[in-house]
Amino acid sequence: MIVNTAAYHFVPVADADALAATLLERAQAYELRGTILVADEGINLFLAGGRDGIDAFYAGLKADARFSDMRVKYSYSHMQPFARLKAKVKPEIISFRRDDGQPLDYPRAPSVAPATLQRWLRQGHDDAGRRVVMLDTRNEQEFEHGTFAGALTLPIARFTDLPAALEPHRAELADATVVSFCTGGIRCEKAALWMRNDGMDNVLQLEGGILGYFEEAGGEGYDGRCFVFDERVALDPQLQPLVDTGVPA
């Protein structure tokens, strides 16, 4: 089986070019494929390969104190979902282009654990009795494959479109506990931070995103699959891929 991983971590990186080169070399040595993104604000990884190579790569990465507590999310497939391995240095590990939504500049926005969210969705409100609104921070291509039941989805093509698309809905969200979510947590982390800095103090982020929710709570309250940016296309709540035959060219 191929081990598929997704991981990100916001932490100051003063040596982005050198780190990207080092991680690329290590991933090549372990015969991994996927994408390595490095920026001054941290790293974002989507890597797949054999169990021994994956374990060795992340053991080496976590030996660096900057990434020792980075969470890695795992899923499995018969096929290798990436055609090649690449490493890039970018201004942001997920582009948002909002000064008030940068995790290194502000305290982290409060989060909700998957098990707690599952309970809230089951009971119809949070522990204070407020209604819960799930806010999907992904784009239209992604949420067409699935999203939380009753979630607020926005007509956006890219993450940077989120602030303008959310504006018409802000008043209607004022009396709710808003839970920002995305695939693995990186976008909803920036989105929740920006919203709180922009006056929406009723916003939380879903810890670990949809994939973390699937790992810890299954698919309760979620309709469909979670889109992923590789040849598997989407994962169901058991983290099984929609496409799992053949090897991409």
Side-chain angles (χ1 to χ4, degrees), residues 30-204:
Y30 296 128
E31 300 182 340
L32 308 183
R33 296 184 192 176
T35 301
I36 299 167
L37 300 178
V38 183
D40 293 347
E41 67 176 3
I43 61 174
N44 190 12
L45 308 172
F46 301 94
L47 293 171
R51 168 58 72 182
D52 290 345
I54 285 288
D55 287 349
F57 177 87
Y58 282 105
L61 181 57
K62 289 190 173 189
D64 184 327
R66 293 174 295 181
F67 309 111
S68 61
D69 59 350
M70 181 180 67
R71 177 180 178 180
V72 182
K73 290 174 283 293
Y74 296 90
S75 58
Y76 302 89
S77 60
H78 294 284
M79 65 181 277
Q80 166 57 263
F82 297 102
R84 62 188 184 277
L85 173 69
K86 56 187 177 181
K88 296 181 179 180
V89 175
K90 303 183 72 174
E92 299 178 72
I93 55 174
I94 181 68
S95 294
F96 196 37
R97 301 174 192 151
R98 299 286 308 204
D99 290 341
D100 48 357
Q102 301 304 322
L104 297 187
D105 296 333
Y106 301 93
R108 191 173 190 261
S111 64
V112 58
T116 300
L117 177 62
Q118 180 186 42
R119 175 166 52 80
W120 288 357
L121 295 177
R122 187 179 295 163
Q123 66 194 23
H125 54 79
D126 69 8
D127 293 335
R130 291 164 63 96
R131 68 187 181 100
V132 175
V133 174
M134 301 300 297
L135 173 63
D136 200 329
T137 65
R138 302 171 303 156
N139 65 45
E140 293 176 288
Q141 177 190 10
E142 296 173 86
F143 62 68
E144 284 178 357
H145 287 267
T147 189
F148 280 95
L152 173 58
T153 57
L154 302 171
I156 63 177
R158 58 189 62 83
F159 186 44
T160 51
D161 297 336
L162 177 70
L166 181 62
E167 187 62 33
H169 302 277
R170 290 173 66 120
E172 69 193 57
L173 297 175
D175 67 338
T177 292
V178 179
V179 178
S180 167
F181 71 92
C182 59
T183 305
I186 186 170
R187 281 175 287 182
C188 44
E189 181 161 347
K190 282 196 172 185
L193 180 61
W194 162 70
M195 285 185 279
R196 292 184 72 89
N197 284 336
D198 202 45
M200 296 180 65
D201 59 1
N202 56 329
V203 177
L204 306 173

Side-chain angles (χ1 to χ4, degrees), residues 136 138-147 214 222-228 232-236 242-243:
D136 200 329
R138 302 171 303 156
N139 65 45
E140 293 176 288
Q141 177 190 10
E142 296 173 86
F143 62 68
E144 284 178 357
H145 287 267
T147 189
F214 284 177
Y222 192 93
D223 290 336
R225 296 181 171 90
C226 178
F227 180 86
V228 290
R232 295 170 297 164
V233 182
L235 304 181
D236 67 17
L242 177 62
V243 177

